[in-house]
Amino acid sequence: MYLALDLGVKTGWARWEPGLSKPVSGVFDCGAKDKTGGYGGRSLSFYGWLLGKIESFGVTHLAIEDELAAISGKQMNRGNEQWQPAQHRLCEMAAVANQIPYQKIAMQTWRKHYLGRGQAPKGTRDSRAWFKQQAIGRGRLLGWEPKDDNEAEALGILDYFRATQSPSYALQTTDLFSRH
């Protein structure tokens, strides 16, 4: 069973396993920082939630967006900029503790696969917003119902990861055999 995460204060998640006709997905709100201004409570909440998902879903593979791509100077909400490195460490800890493979996927890599491009079109005023809308639209085109961009991006990460793990699924995602 695959679990893909789009990390952030609002973490999008998507899971797939053989037998499902489409991925199951949602969003986990990691909540506010501690009253002291730290991330201890948020970290405990996220780690507990992640361990619960791993156990209840029977996760065999974990895929997340690579943090270097996420914090490499791209426009990002300040809360996420400080929170994502901690989330990456917590994901790694959960994967190691449960002896499951853990893969980081570059943002441009999954976007190129899922959306057909890793960069926004020239002249796009807000590329971040453009990509978020594209991810939501792509998910809906595939018959999935992402409620927001966090869930849609987790579905994109999952779609790419699934294509790398399953040659027969990868064939379905090419332009020649695409599902749209």
Side-chain angles (χ1 to χ4, degrees), residues 5-13 26-35 38-51 53 77 79-80 82-88 90-91 148 150:
L5 302 176
D6 176 44
L7 299 177
V9 174
K10 290 187 178 178
T11 294
W13 62 270
V27 176
F28 175 71
D29 189 338
C30 298
K33 289 190 288 184
D34 298 342
K35 291 180 176 147
Y39 291 101
R42 183 184 282 175
S43 295
L44 285 173
S45 174
F46 175 76
Y47 191 67
W49 170 83
L50 180 56
L51 290 176
K53 288 289 186 204
N77 143 344
N80 276 344
Q82 295 174 345
W83 170 232
Q84 278 190 350
Q87 273 187 301
H88 278 81
L90 293 168
C91 287
D148 69 10
N150 301 298

Side-chain angles (χ1 to χ4, degrees), residues 1-3 53-62 98 100:
M1 203 290 300
Y2 304 150
L3 179 63
K53 288 289 186 204
I54 289 170
E55 183 178 325
S56 68
F57 291 162
V59 173
T60 59
H61 295 79
L62 179 63
N98 287 280
I100 58 175

Side-chain angles (χ1 to χ4, degrees), residues 67-163:
E67 80 179 283
L68 297 176
I71 62 173
S72 65
K74 301 286 183 197
Q75 182 183 10
M76 179 183 270
N77 143 344
R78 182 118 173 103
N80 276 344
E81 185 177 302
Q82 295 174 345
W83 170 232
Q84 278 190 350
Q87 273 187 301
H88 278 81
R89 300 301 79 75
L90 293 168
C91 287
E92 187 173 350
M93 286 172 47
V96 169
N98 287 280
Q99 299 178 346
I100 58 175
Y102 165 77
Q103 183 173 345
K104 296 178 182 178
I105 300 169
M107 180 188 306
Q108 291 79 6
T109 301
W110 74 259
R111 282 180 173 173
K112 188 165 186 177
H113 164 83
Y114 190 62
L115 303 174
R117 60 187 318 139
Q119 301 292 322
K122 289 198 183 299
T124 302
R125 298 190 111 207
D126 184 351
S127 61
R128 184 172 179 259
W130 184 85
F131 271 118
K132 290 181 179 303
Q133 287 305 312
Q134 294 299 306
I136 291 169
R138 175 72 173 154
R140 290 182 178 153
L141 183 68
L142 294 171
W144 307 338
E145 294 299 323
K147 294 163 206 67
D148 69 10
D149 58 280
N150 301 298
E151 187 173 344
E153 291 182 354
L155 286 162
I157 295 164
L158 177 68
D159 192 68
Y160 170 79
F161 184 71
R162 229 181 120 191

